[in-house]
Amino acid sequence: MTGRFHGVGVGPGDPELITLKAARLIASADVVAYHAGRGKESNARRIAASLIPDTAVEERLTYPVTTGATDHPGGYTGALADFYEESAARLAAHLEAGRDVVLLSEGDPLFYGSYMYMHDRLSERYETQIVPGVPAFAAAAAAAAAPLSRQTDVLTVLPGTLPEPELARRLADTDAAVVMKLGRTFPAVRRALEAAGRLDHAVYVERASMEGERRLPVAEVDPSTVPYFSLIIVTGDSRNGARSRRPGEPAEARTVTGPTAASAAPAESAAAGTTGPTGSTTPAAELLVVGLGPGPDAWLTPEASAALAEVDHVVGYGPYVDRVPQRPGLTRHASGNTVEIERARLALELAARGERVAVVSGGDAGVFGMATAVFEAAEDPDLRHVPVRVLPGVSAVQAVAARAGAPVGGDFAVVSLSDRLKPWDVVERRLRAVAEADMALAVYNPASRSRTEQIATARRVLLEHRPPETVVVVGRGVGRPGESLTVTTLGDLDPATIDMRCLLIVGASGTRVSASGRVWTPRWVKP
């Protein structure tokens, strides 16, 4: 019989926080294993030292590298992969011999722990049991006597190794947060907290539950003194007030995020603006509708970038809001993909109260974007007085066309295959009209998870009026990592290869492919 494999959490540092079950398994283990850095004591072993029996075989699994350089041909990742394979083989040898193995893990085995790499390699081959442990952030919250989250607060756990802009965005978008893996990352984490408006409620805890425990406001921490065994907790909004992130603003004036908050503070009608609690009148601010372009920052116009640097609120579909860098004073209102009017109304109501607001949209906001939704919502008599300005952006069709060459160099049409806002028979009539007019055609929204047949139907409709040799350009994720561009024909186009990230350009009869592979449509049309 083989031995049993146990992943045992020993808690954050104080031996008295080891669970009774963990203590029993450690005390009866045939083999006790633990990870350690070169020349360093294993913190997990130190915590459990008094429980390890004299009869137990100890397996010290020493990392070949932690933060330094390595000459391994696979670099840091390759060195660790080999290390985990070798470590698993050492433990497997004991298990094959019938010995029970306890692998100690600081905190909890399944929370940022090295145990998981052994679990991946051994759990399917040997009987495995996992014993949870008190995670470090729970001990840190207790040490700081700061409740992390209450009621409906959302708690997000973040590694400090995230890119600074991404960390700031995530900190701004959650109610409560824990930031792990500090050490050398602390300066960037502090800047991200400040950009997210969370610095005032961030507490630094070092060596929670251990000897030398220290806690103080993040703003007072000397970065040169921050060890690996430290983390930051940001208490939830039910304690600190709504997330306006605007220093000095009274709690009663702070806005509620999300499109469902649109009715929380209805705008007053007429150009007089919104009446405040003291009877003063706040004029409506201009609402900006901003096209972000298809993806890369280089395609964001200077005008749009300058506008986003000045507003206090950004409203939009989640992935587009994510593209706006977080900074102090910015409140983000992200929502799903099918609530355009609710989003627009929220933005208009914020602007009606005098808030500086930008509604963001991918590509150009006026091409199947948020601009029309804003103008539709602005038909409400209570919101007509809000001035709206649309800032153009690079559209997806422009991006794909530029990658291909000049397939829309002559007359062209743009059609969306989505039938969410119009009947499919209308789409078909428009496809036939464009095909009969012999214009190049840009096809937006060719497919989605729920719409898989439209592109096949559109291809059939177009082939009724266009020859199979008609040039087709398929751009997928153009401007983003992993982008691709395929030049094919209408006859050879495989609808099964088209997904929601694609934009198609179907050429006119004159569209051609040059010897270099560039697609272009002449400006002239032969009589």
Side-chain angles (χ1 to χ4, degrees):
M1 293 181 61
T2 60
R4 289 168 294 182
F5 181 45
H6 302 278
V8 176
V10 296
D14 183 350
E16 292 186 347
L17 293 179
I18 297 177
T19 65
L20 293 174
K21 187 171 187 177
R24 175 175 58 80
L25 289 173
I26 296 169
S28 61
D30 299 319
V31 179
V32 175
Y34 43 85
H35 290 88
R38 282 183 177 176
K40 297 180 180 179
E41 179 186 11
S42 165
N43 200 47
R45 190 198 183 284
R46 179 193 62 76
I47 297 168
S50 64
L51 298 171
I52 300 175
D54 295 337
T55 56
V57 175
E58 294 193 29
E59 286 285 359
R60 177 188 169 99
L61 309 176
T62 305
Y63 293 107
V65 62
T66 50
T67 59
T70 176
D71 57 3
H72 190 282
Y76 179 86
T77 301
L80 284 185
D82 285 353
F83 164 66
Y84 289 131
E85 289 293 339
E86 294 163 3
S87 298
R90 288 170 58 184
L91 301 186
H94 290 294
L95 293 166
E96 288 292 338
R99 292 186 282 271
D100 289 348
V101 176
V102 167
L103 177 56
L104 305 178
S105 178
E106 288 177 62
D108 183 87
L110 300 180
F111 186 74
Y112 289 122
S114 294
Y115 163 77
M116 290 179 285
Y117 301 103
M118 298 297 98
H119 182 87
D120 293 343
R121 291 164 171 80
L122 300 173
S123 62
E124 292 185 0
R125 297 157 51 193
Y126 304 101
E127 180 183 348
T128 300
Q129 182 181 28
I130 301 170
V131 180
V134 177
F137 76 83
L148 269 177
S149 50
R150 311 169 190 241
Q151 300 174 353
T152 58
D153 283 343
V154 174
L155 172 65
T156 302
V157 180
L158 300 165
T161 50
L162 283 175
E164 189 177 325
E166 174 73 1
L167 185 59
R169 178 184 68 78
R170 290 177 179 265
L171 285 166
D173 289 347
T174 190
D175 302 308
V178 172
V179 185
M180 313 281 293
K181 301 180 183 294
L182 296 183
R184 295 182 300 172
T185 68
F186 181 83
V189 171
R190 188 192 185 286
R191 290 192 299 269
L193 284 163
E194 188 170 15
R198 311 308 298 270
L199 190 59
D200 290 345
H201 305 297
V203 180
Y204 167 86
V205 182
E206 177 183 310
R207 303 184 187 279
S209 84
M210 305 183 207
E211 184 179 349
E213 177 184 289
R214 191 166 68 113
R215 58 189 182 278
L216 65 161
V218 170
E220 299 177 10
V221 176
D222 178 357
S224 65
T225 67
V226 176
Y228 179 79
F229 292 113
S230 58
L231 54 80
I232 291 169
I233 59 175
V234 182
T235 51
D237 284 348
S238 61
R239 174 184 177 91
N240 302 320
R243 284 184 288 138
S244 73
R245 308 289 184 251
R246 293 164 66 183
E249 184 178 0
E252 60 270 18
R254 293 175 178 169
T255 62
V256 181
T257 59
T260 58
S263 60
E268 300 293 336
S269 61
T274 302
T275 302
T278 62
S280 60
T281 299
T282 303
E286 182 180 53
L287 175 62
L288 302 178
V289 187
V290 180
L292 299 176
D297 291 341
W299 290 351
L300 179 69
T301 69
E303 179 187 36
S305 182
L308 294 173
E310 294 295 327
V311 297
D312 301 317
H313 300 264
V314 173
V315 178
Y317 176 41
Y320 300 146
V321 172
D322 290 348
R323 288 171 53 189
V324 180
Q326 184 59 42
R327 55 176 170 74
L330 180 65
T331 303
R332 310 155 70 84
H333 305 263
S335 52
N337 194 29
T338 58
V339 289
E340 292 93 343
I341 297 300
E342 292 89 341
R343 265 201 298 270
R345 185 172 181 84
L346 170 62
L348 286 161
E349 290 182 345
L350 288 169
R353 301 208 305 267
E355 302 281 359
R356 298 181 299 175
V357 186
V359 175
V360 293
S361 196
D364 182 272
V367 180
F368 303 120
M370 278 299 297
T372 51
V374 169
F375 287 116
E376 180 179 345
E379 290 294 299
D380 186 320
D382 288 338
L383 298 171
R384 288 177 184 171
H385 66 289
V386 178
V388 177
R389 180 158 57 100
V390 181
L391 308 186
V394 176
S395 67
V397 62
Q398 289 175 290
V400 173
R403 285 285 195 262
V408 294
D411 296 339
F412 73 99
V414 178
V415 172
S416 169
L417 295 192
S418 173
D419 58 355
R420 188 169 68 86
L421 298 175
K422 59 182 180 290
W424 178 252
D425 64 323
V426 171
V427 177
E428 284 201 31
R429 286 204 307 271
R430 292 176 179 177
L431 289 172
R432 286 191 171 90
V434 173
E436 291 174 357
D438 192 20
M439 290 190 294
L441 170 66
V443 179
Y444 277 71
N445 304 310
S448 70
R449 293 185 181 92
S450 61
R451 294 184 296 101
T452 57
E453 297 300 323
Q454 277 89 330
I455 184 61
T457 303
R459 174 178 175 272
R460 175 180 56 77
V461 170
L462 292 171
L463 281 170
E464 294 174 3
H465 305 277
R466 299 281 183 89
E469 297 78 22
T470 301
V471 178
V472 176
V473 175
V474 180
R476 175 180 285 104
V478 169
R480 303 172 189 174
E483 72 168 55
S484 66
L485 192 81
T486 303
V487 179
T488 183
T489 65
L490 196 56
D492 290 337
L493 177 66
D494 182 2
T497 65
I498 305 302
D499 57 34
M500 61 196 304
R501 299 180 63 221
C502 294
L503 183 139
L504 280 65
I505 298 178
V506 181
S509 60
T511 302
R512 59 195 65 185
V513 182
S514 68
S516 62
R518 309 300 286 171
V519 180
W520 63 286
T521 300
R523 294 174 295 169
W524 39 262
V525 177
K526 293 181 179 179

